[in-house]
Amino acid sequence: MNIESFEKLWVDYQPDRKDAQEFWNKRAPSFNKRIRRKTADEHRQRLMEHLARKAALDHNSAVLDIGCGPGAQSLEMAPLVGRVEGFDLAPNMIDLAKANAVEDNCPNASFRVLDWQAADIDSMGWRRQFDLVLASRTPAINNRATLEKMIAASSRACCMITHVEMRHSVRDQLKSLLDWDEQKARIARSFFCAFNMLFLMGFYPEVEYFDRAWESETTFEDAELMHLNYFTSMMTISDSLKAEMRKKLASLCRDGIIQERVESKLAVMFWKI
């Protein structure tokens, strides 16, 4: 297969993200609450320290965080480097990132609303301006053009972090109601096509895998938003099937709360420029 084959595969298997900004604006408060937990912070801190060592970052270094959400990775990286710039498509995420930066006393971390697909890194003065360009669990890197733009913004190294496998106590029960294609779901994650395209571009991406597991409590409304959005972005679902999915979620709900357990295999792909 050549690079164009993986480029086409990546596009063909992409989820539908036309409502991504609205979705992440709605999810921002609950998402921020979950990622600000102490156990999540400890894992993220170790991972950011590991990446800083791999990229040989110091207090003169600059980091770009693509699809930063409420700033979790940016704010763990900020004490290790000179400056961090983060951006996200969803304004509510950026409002939370700015508030978190104040709370964590990270004046060297700045955040803005930006769509990476449309971003002009030359007019922004971002070409080869960052020692590390990071894209962690974000749909912003979703094709060859966004991957190449990521590379172009870096002067030293890039890193993509993504879930390559997830076992979700709630989502897996909903899959049983659908004609679900697990292979398609795996390919749709950016890792598979990005790794092969990078190799064919002449890079040598290093991959490390980490196993993660966590439990959380989710309101019925947030679970409905999260899970129905995931499945409808991947396939066409009839109104009757959506009703069945809501019924299943309701059966798992106790006093307005759904208990969830997630087991994930996280891939950290790092490459030098």
Side-chain angles (χ1 to χ4, degrees):
M1 295 179 75
N2 56 26
I3 196 168
E4 287 75 21
S5 302
F6 289 105
E7 181 179 10
K8 184 178 186 302
L9 186 65
W10 202 352
V11 171
D12 289 349
Y13 278 63
Q14 273 300 294
D16 180 359
R17 296 196 175 97
K18 66 179 184 297
D19 299 321
Q21 185 182 70
E22 180 183 3
F23 170 75
W24 285 110
N25 271 332
K26 289 179 179 177
R27 280 221 60 208
S30 61
F31 186 79
N32 183 61
K33 183 179 179 180
R34 181 174 68 79
I35 61 106
R36 296 286 284 180
R37 294 178 309 177
K38 187 174 187 297
T39 53
D41 286 347
E42 291 170 350
H43 165 77
R44 195 163 44 245
Q45 181 182 10
R46 290 194 300 271
L47 182 54
M48 291 303 105
E49 289 173 348
H50 176 60
L51 290 179
R53 288 191 296 270
K54 285 183 71 71
L57 303 181
D58 58 28
H59 286 91
N60 294 312
S61 301
V63 174
L64 180 65
D65 187 0
I66 296 174
C68 66
Q73 279 71 230
S74 295
L75 298 178
E76 292 294 349
M77 188 65 80
L80 309 175
V81 299
R83 66 183 176 94
V84 179
E85 294 201 36
F87 65 84
D88 199 276
L89 182 69
N92 289 358
M93 288 290 193
I94 293 303
D95 289 344
L96 287 165
K98 291 177 178 178
N100 291 337
V102 173
E103 183 178 332
D104 292 356
N105 191 27
C106 293
N108 62 332
S110 60
F111 300 97
R112 69 174 76 187
V113 177
L114 180 68
D115 180 355
W116 187 239
Q117 190 94 26
D120 183 342
I121 63 171
D122 289 313
S123 66
M124 298 173 71
W126 279 5
R127 186 172 292 273
R128 296 185 61 81
Q129 290 303 300
F130 297 93
D131 299 281
L132 176 67
V133 178
L134 174 67
S136 178
R137 287 158 282 197
T138 172
I141 307 302
N142 55 45
N143 55 30
R144 180 176 179 175
T146 53
L147 178 64
E148 289 181 335
K149 195 183 298 187
M150 177 183 183
I151 295 167
S154 177
S155 63
R156 185 180 302 178
C158 293
C159 179
M160 285 181 65
I161 303 174
T162 185
H163 300 288
V164 291
E165 184 177 0
M166 294 189 78
R167 295 177 180 175
H168 198 295
S169 64
V170 173
R171 187 171 294 171
D172 289 350
Q173 293 187 58
L174 297 176
K175 287 177 184 178
S176 66
L177 303 174
L178 306 169
D179 182 19
W180 183 249
D181 185 343
E182 191 62 42
Q183 179 172 312
K184 178 180 178 179
R186 289 174 70 88
I187 294 175
R189 299 185 181 110
S190 296
F191 172 81
F192 177 75
C193 293
F195 177 89
N196 286 286
M197 290 176 69
L198 287 167
F199 186 80
L200 292 173
M201 289 175 186
F203 297 104
Y204 297 96
E206 305 170 23
V207 181
E208 297 175 273
Y209 296 101
F210 298 91
D211 291 320
R212 297 273 291 133
W214 64 91
E215 295 182 357
S216 63
E217 294 183 344
T218 308
T219 65
F220 175 85
E221 292 76 13
D222 207 41
E224 179 186 21
L225 173 68
M226 178 172 58
H227 296 303
L228 263 66
N229 179 83
Y230 173 77
F231 287 112
T232 55
S233 73
M234 297 289 289
M235 62 190 298
T236 301
I237 300 177
S238 67
D239 289 342
S240 60
L241 266 177
K242 289 179 184 177
E244 284 189 51
M245 294 168 75
R246 291 187 179 98
K247 185 177 179 180
K248 170 58 78 173
L249 287 173
S251 73
L252 301 172
C253 191
R254 299 290 181 272
D255 298 322
I257 298 296
I258 296 176
Q259 300 282 344
E260 302 181 288
R261 177 171 175 80
V262 181
E263 296 178 0
S264 166
K265 188 170 290 293
L266 195 67
V268 177
M269 181 163 61
F270 176 92
W271 67 99
K272 294 180 180 178
I273 303 301

